Amino acid sequence: METAAQRHVQEERLAALSKKLRWITAYYAVFAAAAAVMSAVYQTPSWRVLLTVMTVLLSLAAVVQCADPFAGKLSLIRRDRAELERLENELSSDNADEQAISARLQAVALTGVCAQDRRAFEWKQDRAQKAQASGEKPDKKRLFGYEKFLFWFFEIAGIAALTLLFLLPAAGVALAACGLL
């Protein structure tokens, strides 16, 4: 059940990233259209430069969206979730071979996801085994050391990149309106 919950969270995270990418593309399309109108109305070099920059950025966003960088991992996660549901149904039946189901569950948990997820899974198992050997109850939700650094680094970097992506077109319009671009 824990693996299924992890796959569900991963699927939601990738869907949210895909949605952000669509919003960014739409946002850049609006600013590119506004730059085109302003370039036609005010035929100054600043508006032409902004139009060129916005068109290039919109093209890059469209190419990334069309490439769909999340599709591969999303399909693997969905396949894993379907397999986990099948295993849960088999386990609930009367003639379930628990050892075979456990082996298939282990295979699902270690395949179909990126190497980082696999290493995290193995690290979590090692930490749980050490805690069990010492008689402690493992703390499953707490992050330590390097994983805490990575978590916060990627959270802050993502927020900074998203903020920059949304402020860039507005700053370009302001600079073009002032004739500084």
Side-chain angles (χ1 to χ4, degrees):
M1 292 307 291
E2 184 178 332
T3 305
Q6 287 174 347
R7 295 300 183 267
H8 180 70
V9 169
Q10 287 174 337
E11 184 178 5
E12 286 179 348
R13 187 182 71 230
L14 287 175
L17 285 173
S18 182
K19 186 176 181 180
K20 281 180 190 176
L21 185 58
R22 285 192 307 272
W23 275 102
I24 289 170
T25 305
Y27 183 73
Y28 275 78
V30 167
F31 273 95
V37 169
M38 297 305 284
S39 178
V41 172
Y42 303 106
Q43 296 182 357
T44 63
S46 294
W47 288 109
R48 285 189 210 115
V49 169
L50 179 65
L51 176 60
T52 304
V53 169
M54 291 307 301
T55 303
V56 168
L57 292 175
L58 176 61
S59 299
L60 289 173
V63 166
V64 170
Q65 185 177 354
C66 289
D68 202 4
F70 312 114
K73 188 167 183 179
L74 199 55
S75 68
L76 291 174
I77 289 170
R78 287 180 178 150
R79 186 196 70 196
D80 285 353
R81 286 188 64 204
E83 180 65 23
L84 288 170
E85 287 176 13
R86 277 194 296 272
L87 289 174
E88 185 178 354
N89 290 338
E90 286 180 23
L91 192 58
S92 63
S93 70
D94 293 334
N95 57 355
D97 182 12
E98 291 184 20
Q99 194 171 22
I101 292 174
S102 176
R104 286 176 46 205
L105 178 63
Q106 184 81 12
V108 167
L110 294 175
T111 60
V113 295
C114 67
Q116 180 181 4
D117 292 343
R118 194 174 313 123
R119 285 193 302 270
F121 178 79
E122 291 170 356
W123 181 81
K124 188 175 179 181
Q125 276 188 328
D126 290 343
R127 194 166 86 178
Q129 288 173 353
K130 286 179 185 177
Q132 187 179 16
S134 66
E136 298 175 8
K137 184 177 179 183
D139 187 10
K140 296 180 180 181
K141 297 186 183 204
R142 193 166 168 203
L143 300 176
F144 295 100
Y146 184 66
E147 65 183 356
K148 185 184 286 187
F149 166 76
L150 284 178
F151 174 79
W152 286 110
F153 175 77
F154 283 115
E155 285 292 314
I156 292 169
I159 291 168
L162 199 59
T163 303
L164 181 66
L165 283 172
F166 278 108
L167 289 178
L168 185 65
V173 167
L175 289 173
C178 294
L180 298 174
L181 194 61

